[in-house]
Amino acid sequence: MLIDTYGRVATDLRVSLTDRCNLRCTYCMPEEGLQWLAKPDLLTDDEIVRLIRIAVTRLGIEEVRFTGGEPLLRPGLVSIVERCAALEPRPRMSLTTNGIGLKRTAEALKAAGLDRVNVSLDTLRPDVFKTLTRRDRHRDVLEGLEAARDAGLTPVKVNAVLMPGLNDDEAPDLLAWAVENAYELRFIEQMPLDAQHGWKREGMMTAGDILASLRTRFDLTEEGSERRGSAPAERWVVDGGPHRVGVIASVTRPFCAACDRTRLTADGQVRTCLFAREETDLRAALRAAPGEASEGSDADADAEIARIWRLAMWGKKAGSGLDDPTFLQPERPMSAIGG
């Protein structure tokens, strides 16, 4: 298993499939984009499947979330999902995406074995979407959401970040729309993961601000910590149910004590926390003993990779450090880490 010195056990693996993205969200990257990873630095499809297999069969991972950048840009995505669905034990699998391209891939992903999706959508206004993302693709995201729901990739969760002066008045409208379309809405506090390091704690929309806005139109009943478990979102029942809304308050209400996640970057680095400033290289160990992605690969090499991964997780820190006013942002932006 993947246990740390505080007794936390990681059972949830987040896998970044690419650092590339087809949007340029203002809270993530500059308008001109970033210096993308060179292709030889990226894990191959076989390497990704092999690491996931090691995580599932040797390290106790039960859930796998595919992220990016934008994971739908990964050409081998459907095949990766299909191969991971064949693992024993079979992990639960989900995908975090901006929704562009989901309309054409939702059914194939479901058939391959994907269980559900999280789609990022911060606004219902096409003009605000264009300002936030620097791309005119609002309709594509809405159609992608509908395709995911129709394909059975449920519950379809929608992640929204509220930005002061842009969409900070949209919380009630977003929730009404999510309830109408049977999506589960989750608001995420803006986090310090932008490449340009422009994030400021002052003026950000906090969980308290979001809930106050929602309560101008809805009655919210907190589910409670016993229902939350290790999930990052606190959830509230909307108007007596059955719909729920979540808030992920990484900045103002850290949930590090219950964290059960480990992360793998697109270039094969283990990160014990989204906000970590240290990484542990698994790619070098993989390529030193290539093996195969199947159960027939070199058992000693796989055992060594598992040992390195366990050691990395043993050194996980108690918290993210976000509650420290002097917090330093990670050197790599969110698109390179995987959200």
Side-chain angles (χ1 to χ4, degrees):
M1 67 173 60
L2 290 171
I3 189 170
D4 65 31
T5 54
Y6 299 93
R8 296 169 297 192
V9 177
T11 58
D12 185 329
L13 171 62
R14 308 295 171 98
V15 181
S16 174
L17 298 179
T18 178
D19 60 329
R20 296 174 183 267
C21 189
N22 42 12
L23 296 180
R24 296 292 182 269
C25 297
T26 56
Y27 51 76
C28 183
M29 68 173 73
E31 186 171 5
E32 64 274 14
L34 299 168
Q35 183 67 46
W36 308 122
L37 292 167
K39 188 173 182 179
D41 293 336
L42 292 170
L43 295 177
T44 66
D45 291 1
D46 284 348
E47 288 171 335
I48 289 170
V49 174
R50 184 179 175 192
L51 285 175
I52 293 173
R53 179 177 54 75
I54 291 170
V56 169
T57 62
R58 293 174 177 263
L59 298 174
I61 290 298
E62 299 171 356
E63 298 188 36
V64 176
R65 172 83 63 84
F66 297 106
T67 71
E70 174 44 52
L72 292 179
L73 295 179
R74 179 88 186 199
L77 172 60
V78 172
S79 175
I80 290 171
V81 170
E82 186 173 35
R83 293 165 70 185
C84 290
L87 293 173
E88 291 291 342
R90 182 197 187 281
R92 295 186 295 275
M93 291 183 292
S94 58
L95 177 81
T96 293
T97 171
N98 61 29
I100 297 173
L102 193 53
K103 180 180 179 180
R104 69 174 183 273
T105 56
E107 289 189 4
L109 287 168
K110 178 64 176 179
L114 192 71
D115 295 303
R116 64 173 190 81
V117 295
N118 286 33
V119 180
S120 299
L121 180 65
D122 304 319
T123 177
L124 299 176
R125 305 167 185 163
D127 58 325
V128 175
F129 181 92
K130 187 174 181 179
T131 299
L132 278 168
T133 67
R134 305 184 178 103
R135 298 291 187 271
D136 190 11
R137 306 297 297 273
H138 191 256
R139 170 49 56 184
D140 294 323
V141 179
L142 294 180
E143 291 178 350
L145 278 161
E146 293 169 4
R149 183 190 60 205
D150 294 345
L153 292 169
T154 55
V156 175
K157 296 183 179 180
V158 177
N159 297 336
V161 176
L162 298 181
M163 303 284 289
L166 284 174
N167 63 338
D168 54 349
D169 61 335
E170 284 198 67
D173 290 339
L174 280 164
L175 182 52
W177 165 80
V179 167
E180 180 182 353
N181 288 279
Y183 304 140
E184 183 175 324
L185 180 64
R186 307 191 312 172
F187 291 98
I188 304 176
E189 287 183 337
Q190 185 192 0
M191 296 180 285
L193 290 169
D194 56 311
Q196 55 271 48
H197 290 191
W199 177 86
K200 288 183 174 56
R201 187 181 300 266
E202 302 79 18
M204 63 169 282
M205 287 288 291
T206 67
D209 296 330
I210 294 165
L211 292 169
S213 179
L214 292 175
R215 286 186 169 119
T216 63
R217 195 182 305 179
F218 300 94
D219 177 59
L220 303 181
T221 305
E222 189 171 3
E223 274 196 336
S225 57
E226 67 281 356
R227 292 289 302 276
R228 180 181 183 184
S230 60
E234 297 176 77
R235 297 205 310 174
W236 283 261
V237 178
V238 180
D239 290 342
H243 300 288
R244 283 158 174 76
V245 63
V247 178
I248 299 177
S250 300
V251 178
T252 62
R253 303 181 187 180
F255 39 86
C256 302
C259 181
D260 66 348
R261 286 169 290 287
T262 183
R263 297 175 181 275
L264 185 65
T265 68
D267 55 349
Q269 310 300 306
V270 169
R271 294 181 68 91
T272 59
C273 174
L274 186 60
F275 304 101
R277 298 184 66 80
E278 304 85 21
E279 298 177 334
T280 300
D281 187 11
L282 293 186
R283 185 184 63 197
L286 268 178
R287 294 181 178 177
E292 298 291 338
S294 68
E295 287 293 344
S297 63
D298 190 311
D300 290 339
D302 286 0
E304 174 61 12
I305 291 167
R307 184 194 68 81
I308 295 170
W309 206 330
R310 287 191 190 99
L311 187 61
M313 293 304 295
W314 185 250
K316 184 172 181 172
K317 295 180 179 179
S320 64
L322 282 175
D323 52 352
D324 181 351
T326 64
F327 171 78
L328 296 175
Q329 292 179 244
E331 294 179 359
R332 297 218 278 176
M334 182 161 54
S335 62
I337 296 170

